[in-house]
Amino acid sequence: MALQVPLPWERLLWSGRSAFPHGPRARYLLTDLRLVRSVYSSDADEILLDDIADIRQTHSRLDRLLGTSTLVVQSRRRAFTIELRGVRRGAQLAAVLDLLSGESEARLDDEAVRAALRWDPRGQTTSHWRV
């Protein structure tokens, strides 16, 4: 049975795919309730936004070549992580995830997420966010 994203009661805020030319072409989906990583439309991992404990951003050699990054999202309730490899605008996506998973009552609509992802910070480095 294929994973349904978004469910009828959630809003899709962002979706993307791994930019890596080789290997599985993972699909990433962010709703107002969860972050989902799907491979081959049958194998999927998800973390509820309220369960995100930590977001790390790294850049491999391939990431630097393609202008992408890898986000490692850690769950706070169990020893579980989701890796988003080959993500364009990784710093912006990490900031959006941090905002949505934090203690604040921040709720973003899809246009606010698109605006945040268009943001272009200068001086890109390896970043680490702790919720």
Side-chain angles (χ1 to χ4, degrees), residues 6-117:
L7 292 169
W9 55 84
E10 58 185 347
R11 291 177 297 132
L12 182 64
L13 300 176
W14 172 83
S15 67
R17 293 191 180 275
S18 173
F20 289 167
H22 302 291
R25 292 280 293 176
R27 183 174 176 212
Y28 310 127
L29 304 144
L30 174 64
T31 73
D32 56 344
L33 298 175
R34 61 192 170 143
L35 174 65
V36 178
R37 177 185 178 269
S38 175
V39 180
Y40 303 121
S41 69
S42 62
D43 182 27
D45 295 313
E46 65 182 359
I47 294 180
L48 295 175
L49 295 179
D50 290 341
D51 289 343
I52 293 175
D54 188 45
I55 305 157
R56 287 181 290 127
Q57 178 186 17
T58 62
H59 302 275
S60 67
R61 288 183 183 179
L62 183 57
D63 281 318
R64 287 185 194 96
L65 182 67
L66 295 175
T68 62
S69 60
T70 296
L71 298 182
V72 180
V73 182
Q74 175 73 45
S75 173
R76 77 176 72 215
R77 297 200 183 193
R78 54 192 169 114
F80 178 72
T81 61
I82 290 181
E83 284 192 7
L84 308 174
R85 295 176 184 258
V87 175
R88 297 195 188 285
R89 299 204 168 279
Q92 294 88 331
L93 181 59
V96 167
L97 287 170
D98 184 48
L99 180 64
L100 290 174
S101 66
E103 297 296 323
S104 75
E105 292 298 317
R107 296 292 172 232
L108 300 176
D109 61 20
D110 53 346
E111 180 52 40
V113 170
R114 281 194 299 273
L117 291 174

